[in-house]
Amino acid sequence: MPMISNVSCTPPSPHDDSLPPVGSGKRRKLAVVLFNLGGPDSPAAIRPFLLNLFKDPAILRVPFFVRPILARIIAKARVKPASENYALLGGKSPLLELTQEQARTLEQALPEFEARCFIAMRYWHPFAHETVREVKDWDPDEIILLPLYPQYSTTTTGSSLTDWREAAAAAGLAKQTFSLCCYHSDRDFASATAALVRKAYDEARNTLPDDVPLRLLFSAHGLPEVIVKKGDPYQFQVERSTAAVLRAMNIPGLDHQICYQSRATPQVWLGPSTEEAIDRAVEDGVAVLVVPIAFVSEHSETLVELDVEYAELAHGKNIKGYFRVPTQNSDPEFIDSLAGLVRRVREHGPGLCSFAGGRVCPRIHRDCPHGEQEDAA
Ligand SMILES: C=CC1=C(C)c2cc3[nH]c(cc4nc(cc5[nH]c(cc1n2)c(C)c5CCC(=O)O)C(CCC(=O)O)=C4C)c(C)c3C=C
Ligand SMILES: [Fe+2]
Ligand SMILES: [Fe+2]
């Protein structure tokens, strides 16, 4: 079931007065809302943060009367390992501060507007209902909803956009709104990402002996397999992102593999897992360069899971080399790609757009939020 309504991406009419007249001196007030998952801001916040996450029907797909109790059980079981991870980061997630920096940088990359970036996190402050009030007080001309998830999943972007719409409706925020569902293989996003991968690749190659092969492990956050089987387009979009980055890198014959990290429940999750991919690299006698392909900011799953847990696992098995590409954070080329997406979404008109305009996902991905008739031009 799609988590957000199928709102079409209407092309702008030549007489559409929602867009500013060319050359008119007045800059439009543009509220850009950045969405991410959020993270605990203190040790005491870890448990309620996890509870919020597992109470989300988009995450825990069980009958509503079982969900609260099951959410409590799973959250309770995760408090200890999650607390150990956050302890390595000073007891909190760095996600909000890094997103605030992205917000300030993106404002500067949109000088033709009076742009102000707001942040709405799904499971910890600032929540959508808090941000909706801030946006309403600022009274923008238009609102752009911009997920910091390049790939669409019902569990992330879908859940965040539903949350925003409900909060906006409850607060009576009725401004013209433009939403982006995904930018998994947007050319500028791929090129910005490829530049970061290329830099880390060259550094890794310079450290390794010439006879040690280097494999790129594109590591994405995992998803329970049942969610994908029901029609979630996330895996398809992760594969498209990987292909787009490889294309932009333009190094023929690069050894690479897609894998999935951060398994959080006992269900069957997408595979191969990043641990399995590391095992295979050890068997094959190759070094690995891990590329986080579904996160655009550093947080516990990159700084602890990739840099500490998987690095220890890999070194414990005498891997030939273990390197990691940093996430985009406020990288100027990445922020420029987001600014380009903001402009394009606006040109496409109010409603929901993909980076390409309309639907890019094949029909089998029924949870793609675009309707049947909305193929990208
Ligand atoms: C069933 C559980 C989960 C699904 C499905 C899931 C999907 C998913 N998550 C991200 C990105 C992030 N996840 C983060 C933390 C996090 N995620 C889960 C569970 C699921 N995620 C948990 C339990 C946690 C908490 C951390 C932990 O207990 O280990 C974070 C933020 C973490 C931080 O440090 O701030 C992000 C970001 C994606 C992209 C995704 C599916 C596509
Ligand atoms: Fe997650
Ligand atoms: Fe789609």
Side-chain angles (χ1 to χ4, degrees):
M1 182 184 63
M3 296 308 295
I4 58 175
S5 54
N6 292 336
V7 189
S8 70
C9 187
T10 348
S13 121
H15 306 296
D16 190 345
D17 60 8
S18 65
L19 297 173
V22 176
S24 73
K26 172 124 174 47
R27 292 187 310 159
R28 285 180 72 82
K29 281 180 85 172
L30 199 65
V32 180
V33 185
L34 303 176
F35 293 91
N36 211 330
L37 188 128
D41 49 15
S42 69
I46 294 172
R47 191 179 182 137
F49 157 75
L50 289 170
L51 200 54
N52 288 340
L53 190 147
F54 287 111
K55 274 193 324 202
D56 182 352
I59 294 273
L60 206 55
R61 313 251 171 125
V62 293
F64 72 94
F65 51 88
V66 195
R67 196 173 308 119
I69 181 77
L70 203 57
R72 262 176 206 289
I73 293 169
I74 302 176
K76 193 173 173 209
R78 272 217 74 81
V79 168
K80 193 167 175 282
S83 301
E84 285 165 6
N85 288 350
Y86 288 115
L88 296 175
L89 303 174
K92 63 195 277 271
S93 168
L95 194 58
L96 180 58
E97 280 81 359
L98 292 170
T99 313
Q100 284 163 339
E101 202 180 312
Q102 289 170 324
R104 300 291 80 84
T105 321
L106 181 55
E107 285 169 0
Q108 286 158 21
L110 292 164
E112 69 272 42
F113 301 104
E114 187 186 341
R116 186 157 156 201
C117 293
F118 296 81
I119 296 168
M121 296 296 196
R122 185 65 185 90
Y123 305 118
W124 202 244
H125 304 279
F127 292 117
H129 66 87
E130 295 164 338
T131 308
V132 157
R133 278 202 303 270
E134 271 187 69
V135 170
K136 199 174 174 200
D137 289 347
W138 192 57
D139 194 26
D141 296 313
E142 300 164 23
I143 302 172
I144 312 273
L145 306 184
L146 179 58
L148 290 173
Y149 301 109
Q151 302 87 15
Y152 179 91
S153 167
T154 52
T155 61
T156 52
T157 303
S159 173
S160 284
L161 293 181
T162 302
D163 189 35
W164 178 266
R165 290 203 182 106
E166 287 173 2
L173 175 65
K175 292 284 171 181
Q176 194 168 51
T177 302
F178 307 72
S179 317
L180 180 67
C181 64
C182 59
Y183 41 100
H184 51 84
S185 40
D186 172 65
R187 202 193 48 201
D188 296 338
F189 165 70
S191 142
T193 308
L196 294 171
V197 181
R198 181 67 206 233
K199 185 165 179 281
Y201 178 84
D202 290 343
E203 283 165 9
R205 269 272 47 114
N206 286 337
T207 330
L208 288 168
D210 287 348
D211 62 344
V212 175
L214 180 59
R215 176 174 297 159
L216 265 52
L217 288 189
F218 288 88
S219 182
H221 196 297
L223 215 53
E225 212 174 68
V226 63
I227 295 181
V228 175
K229 286 199 172 134
K230 281 201 178 124
D232 193 292
Y234 174 74
Q235 183 180 21
F236 162 76
Q237 297 198 3
V238 165
E239 288 167 3
R240 290 294 288 257
S241 289
T242 302
V245 170
L246 287 169
R247 215 169 22 248
M249 284 182 74
N250 196 22
I251 304 179
L254 257 188
D255 184 7
H256 68 278
Q257 186 182 9
I258 297 175
C259 49
Y260 295 91
Q261 63 177 91
S262 317
R263 206 167 285 205
T265 61
Q267 295 155 287
V268 177
W269 282 53
L270 288 176
S273 68
T274 306
E275 292 105 311
E276 286 163 350
I278 289 170
D279 283 346
R280 202 184 114 187
V282 172
E283 278 165 31
D284 293 346
V286 301
V288 295
L289 172 61
V290 181
V291 187
I293 192 67
F295 306 127
V296 297
S297 325
E298 300 293 348
H299 63 284
S300 65
E301 289 162 334
T302 54
L303 299 169
V304 179
E305 202 170 351
L306 293 181
D307 292 353
V308 180
E309 291 173 14
Y310 295 164
E312 279 174 5
L313 174 88
H315 291 305
K317 296 186 174 193
N318 291 325
I319 196 156
K320 298 275 181 187
Y322 182 93
F323 306 88
R324 203 246 308 166
V325 179
T327 62
Q328 292 85 345
N329 284 344
S330 294
D331 169 67
E333 206 184 327
F334 165 63
I335 298 292
D336 281 348
S337 76
L338 292 184
L341 287 163
V342 167
R343 294 185 187 104
R344 225 173 313 146
V345 169
R346 223 180 138 257
E347 277 163 19
H348 274 287
L352 181 81
C353 289
S354 73
F355 68 102
R359 183 176 181 122
V360 178
C361 301
R363 303 282 146 199
I364 50 161
H365 304 296
R366 289 190 301 276
D367 286 345
C368 163
H370 288 279
E372 290 292 306
Q373 307 305 323
E374 289 181 46
D375 295 294

